[in-house]
Amino acid sequence: MDKVLVVDDDQEIGFMLKLILEHRGFSVTVLERAENLEEIILRDNFDLIVLDMLIAGTKGTDVCTVLKSHPKIKSIPILMITAFPDSEKICLEAGADEFLSKPFEIKDLISKINLLAESS
């Protein structure tokens, strides 16, 4: 698992995730919007998607459902993150492979990513 796509409209969160993951050897792309997301994922062959539950202009859960229904994307693990800790069930029902509530500890983020890497 080398290439990670982070989709979060909060620039600070996106920047923080990029720094954390690049420090651990991942190649990270950050997007603030979900526009053309399927095209970008197919073009760049990501190994993991970190997706915020609420993205400007759309719901991350809707985006997750669309991605998981795409035959060439559905096998890419999706880690959904959100500031709403009681949303785990909603995220998992949308197709997310893992869930993480903000604010989170770096060790918890890495643990979830390692878990997804082992299962993919």
Side-chain angles (χ1 to χ4, degrees):
M1 187 173 289
D2 298 315
K3 293 180 76 173
V4 178
L5 174 63
V6 174
V7 185
D8 196 318
D9 60 354
D10 184 325
Q11 289 182 341
E12 291 179 20
I13 297 286
F15 181 73
M16 178 198 66
L17 287 168
K18 184 174 175 69
L19 286 177
I20 292 167
L21 296 173
E22 284 182 343
H23 180 71
R24 283 160 178 79
F26 294 98
S27 171
V28 182
T29 299
V30 179
L31 299 176
E32 294 177 20
R33 305 188 75 73
E35 296 167 358
N36 304 316
L37 193 54
E38 291 174 57
E39 178 184 322
I40 292 166
I41 292 168
L42 291 171
R43 180 191 69 212
D44 293 341
N45 297 312
F46 291 100
D47 301 305
L48 171 69
I49 301 165
V50 178
L51 179 64
D52 190 21
M53 186 175 165
L54 295 175
I55 307 165
T58 190
K59 294 179 183 175
T61 49
D62 292 343
V63 171
C64 184
T65 300
V66 168
L67 295 177
K68 285 299 187 174
S69 69
H70 192 290
K72 293 184 179 178
I73 297 174
K74 67 182 179 183
S75 63
I76 301 172
I78 296 177
L79 169 61
M80 287 201 71
I81 57 175
T82 181
F84 303 101
D86 58 345
S87 299
E88 181 172 11
K89 183 178 179 187
I90 294 167
C91 293
L92 296 176
E93 286 174 351
D97 298 282
E98 283 292 335
F99 170 86
L100 193 57
S101 179
K102 298 176 193 174
F104 50 80
E105 298 288 327
I106 293 173
K107 66 179 177 62
D108 294 331
L109 171 69
I110 299 304
S111 174
K112 295 281 184 176
I113 290 173
N114 288 338
L115 184 64
L116 290 170
E118 290 171 10
S119 66
S120 61

